[in-house]
Amino acid sequence: MPTVEYDIAILGAGPVGQALTLLLARLARDPARIALLAGDGGAGQPGAKQAGAAQPAPADDPRIIAVNHGSRVLLESLQAWPVRSAAIDHIHISQRGRLGRTVIAREDFGVPALGNTVSYADLHARLQERIAASGVTLLSGPPAIVDAQDADAVHVRQGDTTLRCAVAVRCDGAGGQDVRRDYRQHAILTRTRATLAQPGWAWERFTREGPLALLPHPQIQGDYAVVWCCEPSHAAAVAQADDDTFSAALTEAFGTRLGRLRSTAARQVFPLHLKARHAQAQGRVATIGNAAQTLHPVAGQGLNLGLRDAAQLAHALSSWLAGAQDGSPAALLADFARTRLPDRLVTAGITDIMPRAFATGFAAVEHACGLALLGLDLSASIRSPVARHFLQGLRN
Ligand SMILES: Cc1cc2nc3c(=O)[nH]c(=O)nc-3n(C[C@H](O)[C@H](O)[C@H](O)COP(=O)(O)OP(=O)(O)OC[C@H]3O[C@@H](n4cnc5c(N)ncnc54)[C@H](O)[C@@H]3O)c2cc1C
């Protein structure tokens, strides 16, 4: 079995692994000593179907992602901002069937936009273009695994090849087993057109079955990307309904603020879980992005949090990477994990509570949630820190 040596192996070429690769390539004396291992079954192309994978290949991934202001700044610094995006200037948050709502506005934060939507596929393709020009080593093949580590190195295996590295970073999106929650909600992803569309507005509406988000679509002007979280059997039935039935059900769930909603695309269903690991570092192995914490998509935080993981890890390794790389980087990884903990806990905590608090079915809790929305709306001093966290996360 051939063994090759690298400084850093990155296992998983999703957007978090890709962004980390580019950040490290900028810092490395020799970018070729950074290996990005794409578990694409050997086809090597972003559009290749992944054998046995529950997740679609990146080019077919239907997700529309809300990227916050901080993430946009990071992606632009990597020259990886996709050509197609749509700005979010206002976010309207409400609860179906109850009073209380809050609006977060761009003007309150002095930023060009609260966030932007991009498609997962466009973002992945743009990052991949930048990686191709970065000088790093791109290895495609079967899923990679961390085999073992000792005092001197960590050993990573991809098919018949073993990589001996100073550091391995898991970015495989697989989540951890330390904290698990099945939300008993499935997300229906699709696109819709509204008769009374409001450009620049994003909507998060909490229903008894889960949140329903409408986001400005980055590719089809005037359309909205839909993330509709429902109880699983309802999601399956609604996803398979004919267009008229689906459009009526969506309008009924969302309400009439945007007029009538009409289905304009196919529908896909994603089961929703919280899967997180406590430790982001074990010796020479770090874990970031969805591999460290897979969150409920409410408030669109998963990728944003993962990109903050990547930025902080690159920062932690910067002097080691630029220097002689003598000595173990394990202490740097342990520091990285400690530094990231508050942001991970707060973000995972908020996104775990929100979809459940509004879905208890208890009138008293629903009223309390409505009051909380009203309180946020009336008091900028409460609203601002919450919104600022979603805009840029906890900064260390
Ligand atoms: C419905 C939905 C809506 C969402 N909306 C938002 C949003 O609006 N805003 C936001 O910030 N986040 C959002 N998210 C979350 C966001 O999609 C994820 O947080 C983000 O994709 C995580 O990126 P990642 O690179 O860590 O993992 P992934 O995107 O899962 O990528 C991991 C990659 O690693 C590959 N891989 C797996 N195993 C191996 C292996 N053993 N070896 C090598 N490669 C491997 C996979 O094939 C995949 O390509 C949403 C999620 C869902 C489900």
Side-chain angles (χ1 to χ4, degrees), residues 126-145:
R126 184 75 192 116
L127 284 159
Q128 205 62 20
E129 276 172 34
R130 298 298 306 145
I131 285 167
S134 69
V136 302
T137 303
L138 181 56
L139 301 171
S140 64
I145 54 167

Side-chain angles (χ1 to χ4, degrees), residues 12 14-16 39 50 55 63 65-66 120 143-144 172 290 300-304:
V16 172
Q50 294 164 11
Q55 211 171 307
R63 273 174 282 187
I65 305 279
Y120 184 103
D172 56 27
N290 267 33
Q301 289 300 303
L303 177 63
N304 293 306

Side-chain angles (χ1 to χ4, degrees), residues 68-337:
N68 69 20
H69 178 65
S71 297
R72 179 173 181 155
V73 171
L74 175 76
L75 291 165
E76 282 180 339
S77 78
L78 298 172
Q79 297 173 351
W81 186 245
V83 174
R84 298 182 289 189
S85 67
I88 299 173
D89 300 322
H90 295 89
I91 302 174
H92 185 288
I93 307 165
S94 64
Q95 182 180 197
R96 184 169 183 267
R98 299 276 174 206
L99 291 175
R101 64 101 168 105
T102 194
V103 173
I104 299 169
R106 167 179 74 78
E107 300 80 44
D108 295 345
F109 297 93
V111 288
L114 291 173
N116 288 261
T117 58
V118 298
S119 85
Y120 184 103
D122 279 359
L123 176 60
H124 190 279
R126 184 75 192 116
L127 284 159
Q128 205 62 20
E129 276 172 34
R130 298 298 306 145
I131 285 167
S134 69
V136 302
T137 303
L138 181 56
L139 301 171
S140 64
I145 54 167
V146 174
D147 231 1
Q149 62 172 312
D150 51 42
D152 300 324
V154 50
H155 303 269
V156 171
R157 192 151 46 81
Q158 187 179 41
D160 290 339
T161 305
T162 297
L163 281 61
R164 186 176 185 280
C165 318
V167 174
V169 188
R170 286 197 183 104
C171 303
D172 56 27
Q177 298 295 328
D178 298 335
V179 182
R180 281 189 70 95
R181 188 188 305 287
D182 178 354
Y183 287 107
R184 293 191 289 276
Q185 294 176 10
H186 285 186
I188 305 166
L189 307 192
T190 187
R191 223 173 62 220
T192 190
R193 178 152 295 193
T195 51
L196 301 173
Q198 292 192 36
W201 282 70
W203 310 80
E204 186 92 70
R205 186 143 173 88
F206 288 93
T207 79
R208 283 194 177 158
E209 290 192 37
L212 163 56
L214 262 56
L215 308 169
H217 202 282
Q219 296 164 337
I220 316 266
Q221 211 186 355
D223 274 17
Y224 288 94
V226 178
V227 184
W228 184 7
C229 305
C230 304
E231 187 266 313
S233 60
H234 186 203
V238 169
Q240 284 161 19
D242 62 65
D243 283 355
D244 287 346
T245 310
F246 177 81
S247 303
L250 182 62
T251 306
E252 148 80 1
F254 182 77
T256 52
R257 271 198 181 87
L258 292 174
R260 266 177 296 110
L261 301 172
R262 186 167 55 79
S263 171
T264 51
R267 293 158 221 144
Q268 265 119 342
V269 177
F270 275 64
L272 302 177
H273 300 97
L274 168 67
K275 288 189 262 176
R277 60 176 72 225
H278 294 309
Q280 268 192 302
Q282 281 175 318
R284 293 171 175 270
V285 181
T287 306
I288 64 170
N290 267 33
Q293 62 272 319
T294 301
L295 309 180
H296 192 289
V298 67
Q301 289 300 303
L303 177 63
N304 293 306
L305 182 64
L307 291 176
R308 297 199 292 275
D309 284 346
Q312 191 82 45
L313 180 57
H315 177 69
L317 289 172
S318 56
S319 53
W320 176 84
L321 206 49
Q325 289 153 33
D326 40 7
S328 167
L332 300 174
L333 298 186
D335 270 355
F336 151 77

